[in-house]
């Protein structure tokens, strides 16, 4: 599909410097047209209309792929615009990866994906009218991001959770499922991953402390939710400068998973949606600022819905590295640290 870029707001076309004054805010909507079965395109059109009616200058770009989205984010920041992700967590991750490289770049979000876990966990509005209002009148908050570095030396930004093992396999299967299934792709992913469950031997170095561990899954969390409402790390904060690490250890035979392992996961999964799994004997919890994870062979890790690298990976936190538009007052989820400088 060809790229389409158009300005929809009135006024002069010359770029202006970004300002923190919402009345002079310029917006570039970076749209995944396939997000949510086409919801991304509709969401962008409605938001552009509302923002233009307020006299704001709005530019809309439909992306071709991840690299094109990153390129358009860079162009938006060069213009002094707020780059707004119109799509799911994956689109927001791409824009955030460009924004953290600049001191003055600001990102916004119009949730239009299948799960919208990052928005829901933080407490950002998912209602389109309220989310558009945040773009128009919201304030900039500084949030932590995560970064995963592979053996290629490339840093890849993530916002929510790096997953290894069962949940990474479920993510892979869900991504391959027909988009028409909507939120059911997560169920398909979980069932498929359960059928192919296997132990994952890992070598982990967390803040300099090394240990070997065989797990069914390992999650390294900046934000606490993923997979369409699974609260894997419900106590994670986007303002504490640390990563929350959740592991489900494998306690059976080292070479395979039996029915007890599958039963453990079946008991574990419903609790994850409530966040009550953290108090069970199935789960090990820890925190770290930097964690290196190695495996005996190539193993793909996922984050924010997409592959983020092949082990070994070094996963670190970038404290207060992302400027994100949030509601000017109230609205952020109870139990999540409110970013410094934003009124409660």
């Amino acid at each position: 599909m060809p790229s389409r870029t158009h300005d929809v707001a009135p006024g002069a076309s010359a770029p202006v410097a970004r300002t923190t004054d919402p009345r002079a805010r310029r917006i570039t909507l970076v749209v995944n047209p396939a997000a949510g079965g086409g919801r991304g395109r509709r969401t962008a059109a409605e938001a552009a209309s509302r923002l233009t009616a307020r006299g704001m200058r709005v530019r809309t770009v439909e992306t071709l792929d991840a690299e094109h989205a990153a390129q358009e984010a860079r162009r938006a920041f060069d213009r002094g615009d707020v780059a707004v992700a119109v799509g799911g967590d994956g689109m927001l991750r791409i824009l955030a990866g460009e924004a953290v490289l600049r001191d003055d770049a600001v990102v916004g979000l119009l949730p239009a994906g299948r799960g919208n876990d990052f928005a829901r966990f933080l407490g950002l509005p998912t209602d389109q009218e309220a989310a558009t209002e945040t773009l128009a009148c919201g304030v900039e908050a500084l949030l932590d991001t995560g970064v995963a570095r592979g053996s290629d030396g490339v840093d890849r930004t993530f916002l929510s959770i790096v997953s290894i093992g069962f949940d990474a396999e479920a993510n892979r299967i869900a991504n391959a499922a027909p988009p028409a299934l909507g939120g059911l792709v997560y169920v398909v992913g979980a069932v498929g991953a359960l059928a192919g469950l296997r132990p994952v031997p890992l070598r982990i170095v967390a803040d300099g402390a090394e240990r070997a561990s065989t797990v069914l899954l390992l999650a390294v969390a900046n934000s606490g939710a993923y997979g369409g409402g699974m609260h894997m790390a419900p106590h994670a904060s986007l303002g504490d400068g640390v990563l929350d690490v959740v592991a489900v250890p494998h306690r059976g035979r080292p070479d395979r998973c039996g029915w007890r392992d599958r039963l453990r996961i079946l008991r574990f999964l419903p609790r994850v949606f409530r966040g009550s799994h953290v108090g069970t004997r199935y789960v090990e919890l820890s925190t770290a600022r930097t964690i290196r994870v190695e495996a005996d062979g190539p193993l793909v890790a996922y984050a924010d819905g997409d592959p983020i690298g092949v082990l070994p990976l070094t996963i670190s936190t970038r404290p207060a590295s992302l400027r994100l538009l949030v509601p000017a007052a109230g609205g952020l989820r109870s139990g999540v640290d409110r970013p410094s400088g934003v009124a409660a």
Side-chain angles (χ1 to χ4, degrees):
M1 185 179 66
S3 169
R4 296 192 297 172
T5 303
H6 52 277
D7 289 331
V8 298
S13 59
V16 296
R18 182 189 64 81
T19 174
T20 57
D21 184 351
R23 293 170 298 179
R25 184 172 289 155
R26 293 162 49 106
I27 299 289
T28 292
L29 302 176
V30 185
V31 186
N32 177 359
R39 188 163 63 247
R41 179 177 289 153
R42 297 191 298 271
T43 296
E46 293 170 6
S49 178
R50 290 192 181 107
L51 294 170
T52 301
R54 302 177 73 130
M56 298 181 67
R57 184 174 178 80
V58 182
R59 179 172 174 264
T60 301
V61 180
E62 291 190 357
T63 62
L64 303 174
D65 51 31
E67 178 50 41
H68 183 218
Q71 181 184 58
E72 291 298 340
R74 293 191 293 269
R75 288 177 178 171
F77 298 142
D78 287 343
R79 289 162 54 94
D81 291 8
V82 175
V84 177
V86 187
D89 292 348
M91 176 63 82
L92 181 60
R93 174 182 56 81
I94 293 168
L95 270 58
E98 299 299 324
V100 297
L101 304 177
R102 307 185 183 213
D103 291 336
D104 61 349
V106 181
V107 170
L109 175 62
L110 282 174
R114 289 181 298 198
N116 302 315
D117 289 290
F118 183 81
R120 294 181 190 279
F121 183 79
L122 183 58
L124 296 176
T126 55
D127 171 78
Q128 297 308 321
E129 185 173 353
T132 303
E133 184 69 13
T134 298
L135 300 183
C137 302
V139 295
E140 298 173 15
L142 281 171
L143 304 181
D144 298 347
T145 62
V147 57
R149 173 176 290 186
S151 56
D152 58 4
V154 176
D155 289 344
R156 296 176 175 86
T157 296
F158 70 95
L159 296 175
S160 295
I161 297 173
V162 174
S163 57
I164 298 164
F166 168 82
D167 43 350
E169 178 64 4
N171 199 155
R172 183 191 68 79
I173 295 170
N175 284 357
L181 291 175
L184 288 176
V185 298
Y186 300 114
V187 177
V188 171
V191 171
L194 188 63
L197 189 67
R198 62 187 179 89
V200 182
L202 299 173
R203 292 179 298 280
I204 299 170
V205 182
D207 290 341
E210 183 174 355
R211 65 185 175 93
S213 181
T214 299
V215 302
L216 300 178
L217 70 84
L218 180 74
V220 182
N222 178 54
S223 172
Y226 65 170
M230 300 175 70
H231 289 267
M232 179 61 74
H235 301 302
S237 167
L238 287 154
D240 62 358
V242 299
L243 300 166
D244 288 71
V245 183
V246 181
V248 176
H250 171 63
R251 297 193 175 101
R253 287 180 50 173
D255 58 335
R256 67 178 179 88
C257 288
W259 67 268
R260 293 181 187 275
D261 300 296
R262 289 176 173 81
L263 182 59
R264 183 178 300 123
I265 292 293
L266 282 173
R267 289 175 174 171
F268 171 84
L269 283 176
R271 290 177 173 269
V272 176
F273 285 94
R274 302 189 300 270
S276 60
H277 62 290
V278 297
T280 70
R281 59 190 176 87
Y282 306 118
V283 177
E284 295 178 351
L285 304 175
S286 59
T287 60
R289 295 184 184 276
T290 299
I291 178 170
R292 180 172 174 82
V293 185
E294 302 176 353
D296 291 334
L299 190 65
V300 179
Y302 278 71
D304 303 328
D306 296 307
I308 198 169
V310 177
L311 299 188
L313 285 177
T314 299
I315 306 165
S316 306
T317 182
R318 285 198 196 107
S321 54
L322 176 66
R323 294 181 182 273
L324 181 73
L325 289 180
V326 302
L332 294 190
R333 177 177 175 269
S334 176
V336 177
D337 289 352
R338 194 169 188 85
S340 176
V342 181

